[in-house]
Amino acid sequence: MKSWCKTLLACGLSMALVACSSNDVEEEPVAQLTEIQASVFPEISWSASVGSGVGQYYSQLRPAVRYGKIFAADRFGEIVAFDEATGEPIWEKDVSEAFREHALAKNKGARIASGITAARNKVFIGGESGDFGAIDAETGELAWYASVDGELLSAPTVAEELVVVHTSAGALNAYNVDSGELVWSNENQLPKLTLRGTGSAVYEGGGFFVGGADGKVSVIIKSNGQTAWQQPVYTPKGGNEFTRMADVDMQPLLSGENLYAVSYNGNLVSMEARTGRIIWERKYSSFNELALAGLSLFLVDDHSRVYAVDKRNGLELWSNSELQNRGLTSPAVFGSYLVAGDFEGYLHFFDRTNGKIVGRIQIDSSGLYAQPLVVGDKLYVQTRSGKVASIVLP
């Protein structure tokens, strides 16, 4: 199986070192920042550092907030629990050392790319080597370790007594939260060419909803790991493997009785969560997470264009292409605003009603790469250099 760059822009900007070369694609112009009429002025309330960050590697590693702590990790195995209010470190753990008797001992660092998920008094992380572990959220001590067939590139999902991970080999594996014992594995055949990345599963009503590299959304029954239904978000078309890529590399978004998903080279769809029946579909191409507020779905496409879509019928409400090809992160809803970061480390604030950019702040120049995390009236981001920052609106 071959793997393609997560974004065409990544090759030109060296944002993802995943077998790209300057000859793979033609570079596209990157939008330059222009002066804005700012009406919101975000501030950094505190910042701290975790290891060496993720560098220029492909990663969706981002912090998690739980139990009054914010947990953050770097690519090379350092995990830190900070006090959520002050940013002061509570404990630190070197995961590569904790796994020294396993495969990670042979690597230069842990190559962590999956997580962080905090639940059941544990912190769950995984890596490109297929190493998966649970750490005690209170002490930082390793609770258990498992070895997985395939890279782990997206955050684990916890559902009651199970934690599931989506592997690059196309499997959804379920482990016992307390022991790390493999409970079941649901495997899917992969296309010949896929994007590098996977989407996390979302759990609801006894089933895990998960997107696949084959352009489908599946529901996996929690009790036995069997597939309840599958529905294509987009049926691949074209005369070569590149044009037929249709990965659903995002976590399906559940809202009431409906589920929303988007594919690369494909569609944004609304479907019935119970049956998978398509309600509406619109032509968009994205590998980013969706965001939702009220009746509006928010989307950043594969060229960093930002859209708002009516979740009832898929009709476009507004679009903004001012940040085209700036490697925007997945969007997040923060109060009255939509926020997304870019490859130069700027966090942009959009008016949710019309898409106008009404504020921005630069966290650091190394760049933002993962969806901002919203917890109450605070916003948390992590930069490629490992800076973790808490953002507030005065």
Side-chain angles (χ1 to χ4, degrees):
M1 181 194 70
K2 297 181 181 178
S3 177
W4 192 258
C5 289
K6 197 68 172 180
T7 167
L8 302 182
L9 178 62
C11 295
L13 297 175
S14 299
M15 293 180 63
L17 304 183
V18 286
C20 280
S21 75
S22 59
N23 296 323
D24 286 331
V25 292
E26 183 179 349
E27 291 185 28
E28 297 192 8
V30 177
Q32 300 300 306
L33 297 185
T34 58
E35 188 174 348
I36 61 172
Q37 295 285 332
S39 59
V40 59
F41 302 92
E43 298 177 351
I44 297 176
S45 64
W46 62 257
S47 66
S49 181
V50 53
S52 302
V54 301
Q56 294 304 309
Y57 293 93
Y58 167 75
S59 181
Q60 291 299 312
L61 186 65
R62 69 170 187 161
V65 173
R66 199 85 186 259
Y67 316 120
K69 305 179 184 71
I70 176 167
F71 304 97
D74 79 346
R75 171 180 169 82
F76 306 99
E78 183 173 340
I79 301 179
V80 183
F82 300 99
D83 183 280
E84 183 183 356
T86 66
E88 292 296 318
I90 298 173
W91 55 255
E92 299 182 18
K93 184 69 176 181
D94 185 339
V95 179
S96 348
E97 182 180 347
F99 291 170
R100 64 183 177 272
E101 296 179 358
H102 301 282
L104 284 178
K106 302 175 183 178
N107 301 324
K108 293 181 178 179
R111 297 196 290 177
I112 296 175
S114 168
I116 295 175
T117 299
R120 298 289 296 261
N121 296 312
K122 293 181 177 64
V123 175
F124 299 93
I125 51 93
E128 296 172 11
S129 301
D131 299 282
F132 183 41
I135 295 166
D136 188 290
E138 187 64 30
T139 65
E141 294 304 309
L142 182 67
W144 54 258
Y145 165 91
S147 185
V148 177
D149 183 17
E151 293 181 307
L152 298 179
L153 301 172
S154 56
T157 302
V158 175
E160 301 163 8
E161 78 283 5
L162 295 184
V163 55
V164 303
V165 288
H166 190 189
T167 78
S168 64
L172 190 71
N173 290 355
Y175 299 85
N176 182 277
V177 162
D178 295 318
S179 67
E181 179 185 0
L182 180 65
V183 178
W184 50 255
S185 180
N186 183 290
E187 298 182 3
N188 279 307
Q189 186 173 357
L190 295 178
K192 293 180 180 179
L193 185 66
T194 75
L195 295 177
R196 181 158 190 247
T198 58
S200 297
V202 62
Y203 177 72
E204 181 69 31
F208 294 99
F209 297 78
V210 63
D214 57 0
K216 298 176 182 177
V217 170
S218 303
V219 178
I220 314 301
I221 300 171
K222 172 180 172 287
S223 60
N224 58 22
Q226 299 300 305
T227 301
W229 58 255
Q230 282 189 330
Q231 178 65 256
V233 171
Y234 178 72
T235 301
K237 300 178 178 67
N240 59 65
E241 295 298 334
F242 178 76
T243 59
R244 292 176 61 82
M245 287 195 301
D247 303 54
V248 180
D249 275 0
M250 45 79 67
Q251 184 180 53
L253 176 63
L254 284 166
S255 177
E257 298 180 351
N258 293 343
L259 176 147
Y260 303 92
V262 64
S263 66
Y264 178 73
N265 267 345
N267 289 332
L268 170 67
V269 303
S270 170
M271 61 179 70
E272 289 183 348
R274 185 174 62 86
T275 66
R277 182 182 69 88
I278 298 292
I279 300 170
W280 55 256
E281 59 184 64
R282 298 289 182 265
K283 183 67 177 175
Y284 291 95
S285 175
S286 179
F287 38 72
N288 289 306
E289 307 292 343
L290 299 172
L292 175 67
L295 298 176
S296 298
L297 280 172
F298 301 100
L299 164 77
V300 172
D301 76 1
D302 54 359
H303 288 278
S304 296
R305 295 172 291 230
V306 186
Y307 300 91
V309 173
D310 191 316
K311 74 172 187 177
R312 298 168 295 183
N313 50 33
L315 296 181
E316 194 171 294
L317 302 174
W318 55 256
S319 66
N320 186 315
S321 59
E322 295 177 58
L323 303 176
Q324 188 163 314
N325 295 324
R326 290 189 63 85
L328 287 189
T329 67
S330 299
V333 172
F334 185 47
S336 301
Y337 309 100
L338 187 73
V339 294
D342 74 14
F343 76 101
E344 289 185 323
Y346 287 95
L347 189 65
H348 303 274
F349 287 67
F350 302 81
D351 187 318
R352 271 177 27 203
T353 62
N354 56 29
K356 291 183 179 178
I357 301 175
V358 293
R360 70 167 57 111
I361 182 173
Q362 189 175 31
I363 311 304
D364 75 23
S365 61
S366 69
L368 296 169
Y369 61 94
Q371 184 180 36
L373 176 66
V374 177
V375 181
D377 60 354
K378 295 183 177 64
L379 186 69
Y380 298 96
V381 294
Q382 182 171 342
T383 70
R384 288 190 172 275
S385 66
K387 182 176 182 178
V388 178
S390 172
I391 313 299
V392 296
L393 296 180

